[in-house]
Amino acid sequence: MVHQNLSYAQFPNSIFAIVAHAVELCLSSTTTTTRVLNLNPSRPFHTLLCSTNSLKNPLLQFKHRPFTSLKLPSHSRQFHLLQPQPLAFPPIPSRFTASASSSVATGNEKDQLPADIEVKETPEPNCSVRLSVEVPPAVCDDCYKKVLNEFMKQAKVPGFCPGKNVPESILISYVGKKHVQKATVESILKRTLPHAMSSVTGRALKDSVRIVTKFSEMEQTYSSLNSLRYDVIVDVAPQVKWIPENGYKNLKIVVEIDSDIDASRASEQELRRRHKSLGSMRIVTDRGLQIGDVAVLDISATTMGQDESNVQKIPSAETKGLPVSTENYTSVSFYFSFVMHHEHFLPQLYVLRAGFHFDTEDGDKVISGFLDSIIGIQRGETKSFELVFPESWKQENLRGVHAQFTVECKELFYRDLPELDDSLADRLLTGCTTLKQVKESLFQRCLEVEQTAREQATDNVILDQLQKMVEADIPQSLFEEQGRQLYGAKLLQIQASMKLNEQQLASLSSPKAVNEYLENQKDNILNVIKQNLAVGDIYKRENLQFSTDELVKEVENSIAEFKREKQEYEEERVREQVPEILEGAKVLEWLKEHAEIHYITR
């Protein structure tokens, strides 16, 4: 007997579709969803912002985030809850009956069961729930009849017109008893899973449902007992516990502001930078390096124990032209650490070139003692000296490390600058006619940057304090999703600054690279999730809202910024995520109004 292969009976290939269908049915039973806030970065970060230690997580910005189309190996899921109000699951296993009349609708269609199914709910670790489902014979028989009817419509049994009644024994003989049994089990799952999920409606995270019972076991149970048992594990929304309760209402925070972002100091430095750009460089021939000069240096370094043992090269300082500065290190050091997998990196990795131009007026931006050690060095001369990385060094694995530096001076220049007066005004800043105008304009620009940096630093300190005040069990699916979002944002930041080629991007997007990031950044990812959960909880507790006008304006601003930056975007995704941005902004605004905030400059 040749059996006709019908797709309806191919259960192993459609199990995921069944789960997805069941969850979609549950989702469609409510028109309101609650999202875990997605705090992706907004746009390229200003260098002054990146230099502020207060900005421990620059990804947490609440305005104009990009909604990237970058795809990672594992599909990104947006975590919706099935209903807005979470229900606390019982601390001990409980039983309930899913009513046969309970409806799981898509549009106006309702699927009613001929009998009740029994579901036992048991809490699992990591904010998960196990649902043990028992399907009675009445439901199994009803599904069996529906399966036979479906086969009767599809099968072309010899001697019978298509769609006409075929005796059960002949139909089963033609299709195959095994196929009918598989299709019946599939039908039972498809019809009962949405009913079983009704107990976690409002708590279950989308795309976290897993049927853990083996299909072979379900087949055996159905074949021998004419009933079905199966277990489902689903991740549920974490319950936020505040310690102390309502502690967020009276925050007392101290915000450290880097002195570099002070508008007065920053504007003076910017004026100096512009003035220097108008001068010319002259070769020094008769003396060594002094303050104000620019030197072209080759730098190398090795680490060593205090007893001069265990000497190791510092890879990032072994290439010509590599400085030991602490600026602009975030994206580039991330790229090197994940591509080259080195453990020791100096916190600055400029685009490599034959000789690093070191401006001695920037001596405060390199490791302490470096400038003093090379003062007096002449062209062609090499100096070696030992320095210790301070405990405040940004890269933790270099703090307290003893390093032997070797510096060769390739070239030495001094600046020949024009006199700083009104005649340079238009060259310093287009449109200005006096030096006073230049200074005022630069000050106003830096004042805006300072204000933005203060707000961002304040937001980060508040968010950091919030995550310390909440406790929550984080499900693995939520951890992986948030981690992939942060990783994707990092890749975008690197791509924008370094223009990775396809091979580099593919390497960084590989499952291995993503998993390494999830492992290495586990604590940071968990903290971000706790921050997001805290923000979402405060938004609900305080009944905060945003207007339709605010929503429309934010969507327009986000789209306009994408176009201005010539970045790809999906308008639907922008509209989907903008409410999350506004919710976060409203919460931070409310918290700052009710917090006691002190600013200190370091």
Side-chain angles (χ1 to χ4, degrees):
M1 175 75 66
V2 178
H3 295 204
Q4 183 178 1
N5 291 325
L6 301 176
S7 60
Y8 189 81
Q10 302 304 311
F11 178 93
N13 295 328
S14 59
I15 180 63
F16 298 110
I18 290 177
V19 174
H21 175 69
V23 176
E24 287 301 322
L25 291 177
C26 291
L27 282 172
S28 64
S29 66
T30 176
T31 58
T32 307
T33 58
T34 300
R35 296 174 299 275
V36 175
L37 291 179
N38 170 23
L39 308 181
N40 278 345
S42 63
R43 50 190 169 210
F45 308 114
H46 195 284
T47 55
L48 288 178
L49 296 182
C50 290
S51 65
T52 305
N53 286 337
S54 300
L55 306 184
K56 297 179 181 179
N57 191 343
L59 300 180
L60 298 177
Q61 301 184 38
F62 282 100
K63 292 185 178 180
H64 306 312
R65 288 175 181 75
F67 308 94
T68 170
S69 57
L70 178 64
K71 303 298 182 184
L72 293 177
S74 183
H75 292 295
S76 177
R77 300 183 300 274
Q78 182 167 1
F79 287 89
H80 293 271
L81 303 182
L82 304 188
Q83 282 184 355
Q85 297 300 327
L87 307 174
F89 56 75
I92 58 176
S94 63
R95 285 184 177 271
F96 73 94
T97 298
S99 172
S101 61
S102 63
S103 63
V104 181
T106 303
N108 295 322
E109 298 178 6
K110 295 182 179 180
D111 184 8
Q112 296 186 352
L113 302 178
D116 297 341
I117 63 172
E118 188 174 288
V119 182
K120 176 184 175 183
E121 180 181 318
T122 308
E124 292 277 322
N126 297 324
C127 214
S128 298
V129 171
R130 178 182 292 267
L131 302 176
S132 299
V133 185
E134 294 188 12
V135 184
V139 176
C140 295
D141 289 341
D142 189 63
C143 292
Y144 174 74
K145 292 176 182 178
K146 289 181 179 292
V147 167
L148 288 183
N149 288 335
E150 188 65 29
F151 276 130
M152 197 174 297
K153 293 177 183 178
Q154 296 184 23
K156 298 179 181 179
V157 182
F160 294 89
C161 296
K164 297 297 182 179
N165 290 334
V166 179
E168 181 177 328
S169 59
I170 296 178
L171 181 63
I172 293 176
S173 177
Y174 177 74
V175 175
K177 184 177 180 179
K178 193 69 175 177
H179 280 146
V180 173
Q181 183 173 285
K182 285 179 178 291
T184 302
V185 173
E186 178 180 347
S187 176
I188 294 170
L189 286 172
K190 186 174 182 179
R191 294 182 63 192
T192 61
L193 186 56
H195 293 270
M197 289 285 295
S198 63
S199 71
V200 292
T201 297
R203 292 183 288 147
L205 298 181
K206 184 180 179 181
D207 293 343
S208 68
V209 182
R210 293 96 71 194
I211 296 177
V212 294
T213 304
K214 294 181 179 179
F215 183 64
S216 59
E217 295 177 4
M218 289 188 279
E219 277 190 297
Q220 184 176 359
T221 302
Y222 171 70
S223 176
S224 59
L225 301 176
N226 194 34
S227 62
L228 193 67
R229 298 191 189 103
Y230 63 91
D231 284 0
V232 175
I233 291 181
V234 58
D235 292 337
V236 295
Q239 301 296 303
V240 177
K241 180 181 179 182
W242 289 92
I243 302 177
E245 182 68 22
N246 295 325
Y248 67 87
K249 291 188 175 182
N250 297 291
L251 293 178
K252 296 181 180 180
I253 63 174
V254 176
V255 182
E256 294 184 355
I257 302 296
D258 198 314
S259 59
D260 283 345
I261 69 170
D262 177 75
S264 297
R265 178 175 176 177
S267 60
E268 290 175 1
Q269 292 178 340
E270 179 62 16
L271 178 61
R272 176 63 177 168
R273 185 191 68 79
R274 291 174 182 242
H275 184 209
K276 289 192 293 187
S277 70
L278 299 179
S280 55
M281 306 290 286
R282 308 292 185 186
I283 298 176
V284 175
T285 58
D286 57 352
R287 60 172 175 80
L289 179 72
Q290 64 185 29
I291 300 297
D293 291 344
V294 175
V296 180
L297 306 175
D298 285 349
I299 306 170
S300 62
T302 57
T303 63
M304 63 180 66
Q306 294 189 23
D307 58 354
E308 298 188 358
S309 62
N310 192 26
V311 177
Q312 295 181 354
K313 293 181 179 180
I314 299 178
S316 58
E318 280 301 300
T319 307
K320 293 182 178 181
L322 200 59
V324 284
S325 168
T326 60
E327 290 188 335
N328 302 330
Y329 108 95
T330 306
S331 63
V332 186
S333 63
F334 173 86
Y335 168 73
F336 274 82
S337 63
F338 274 82
V339 175
M340 301 176 67
H341 303 289
H342 285 307
E343 293 183 356
H344 300 291
F345 289 91
L346 296 178
Q348 167 63 46
L349 297 172
Y350 285 101
V351 177
L352 303 181
R353 52 188 180 272
F356 163 58
H357 289 65
F358 175 64
D359 189 338
T360 53
E361 291 187 1
D362 294 331
D364 59 337
K365 298 176 182 177
V366 297
I367 182 173
S368 178
F370 182 84
L371 177 59
D372 293 339
S373 299
I374 63 172
I375 287 294
I377 193 172
Q378 297 191 15
R379 181 173 180 243
E381 183 181 355
T382 298
K383 283 191 174 185
S384 294
F385 47 90
E386 181 181 341
L387 295 175
V388 179
F389 286 91
E391 293 300 326
S392 59
W393 196 252
K394 285 186 177 181
Q395 194 159 350
E396 294 183 7
N397 63 332
L398 287 178
R399 292 174 184 173
V401 170
H402 291 248
Q404 183 71 30
F405 285 85
T406 301
V407 178
E408 180 183 0
C409 182
K410 309 296 289 187
E411 300 287 349
L412 190 57
F413 302 94
Y414 70 92
R415 285 192 174 90
D416 185 7
L417 299 178
E419 185 176 352
L420 188 60
D421 54 26
D422 291 347
S423 64
L424 297 180
D426 187 61
R427 296 174 65 190
L428 291 168
L429 188 61
T430 304
C432 293
T433 57
T434 66
L435 187 59
K436 182 179 179 181
Q437 281 184 315
V438 173
K439 292 180 178 180
E440 290 176 349
S441 296
L442 291 178
F443 177 76
Q444 288 301 318
R445 293 183 182 184
C446 291
L447 195 61
E448 293 177 5
V449 172
E450 178 185 350
Q451 183 60 33
T452 300
R454 279 178 172 269
E455 292 177 358
Q456 185 65 67
T458 304
D459 291 349
N460 278 274
V461 174
I462 289 175
L463 290 168
D464 184 61
Q465 188 146 336
L466 289 182
Q467 64 89 9
K468 295 176 181 178
M469 299 173 68
V470 298
E471 288 185 354
D473 291 329
I474 309 300
Q476 183 65 21
S477 59
L478 183 55
F479 168 79
E480 292 180 358
E481 169 63 12
Q482 182 66 73
R484 290 188 181 97
Q485 289 179 357
L486 295 176
Y487 187 82
K490 274 288 188 182
L491 288 188
L492 283 178
Q493 188 181 351
I494 296 171
Q495 177 72 350
S497 61
M498 299 188 66
K499 302 299 182 184
L500 303 177
N501 60 38
E502 291 185 6
Q503 183 178 358
Q504 291 169 329
L505 190 58
S507 175
L508 289 174
S509 300
S510 68
K512 180 181 178 181
V514 175
N515 290 332
E516 284 183 359
Y517 178 83
L518 294 179
E519 181 179 353
N520 295 333
Q521 297 295 317
K522 181 177 180 179
D523 290 342
N524 182 55
I525 295 169
L526 291 175
N527 288 340
V528 171
I529 294 173
K530 289 169 67 177
Q531 290 170 352
N532 296 348
L533 292 172
V535 169
D537 193 55
I538 294 171
Y539 186 83
K540 290 187 295 185
R541 282 176 174 232
E542 301 302 326
N543 296 315
L544 302 179
Q545 296 179 343
F546 54 84
S547 67
T548 302
D549 290 342
E550 289 176 305
L551 178 63
V552 172
K553 184 177 180 180
E554 182 66 23
V555 170
E556 292 175 348
N557 289 342
S558 297
I559 293 176
E561 186 167 348
F562 280 119
K563 292 180 178 179
R564 186 166 54 251
E565 299 291 336
K566 296 181 180 179
Q567 295 181 358
E568 294 183 4
Y569 67 93
E570 297 174 7
E571 185 169 338
E572 182 179 351
R573 192 177 180 193
V574 172
R575 296 184 184 279
E576 190 177 73
Q577 293 191 1
V578 159
E580 303 171 13
I581 298 172
L582 294 176
E583 288 177 12
K586 289 294 181 181
V587 169
L588 286 174
E589 181 182 343
W590 186 92
L591 289 171
K592 283 184 278 191
E593 289 176 355
H594 293 79
E596 184 179 323
I597 305 175
H598 298 280
Y599 294 93
I600 60 174
T601 302
R602 63 169 183 273

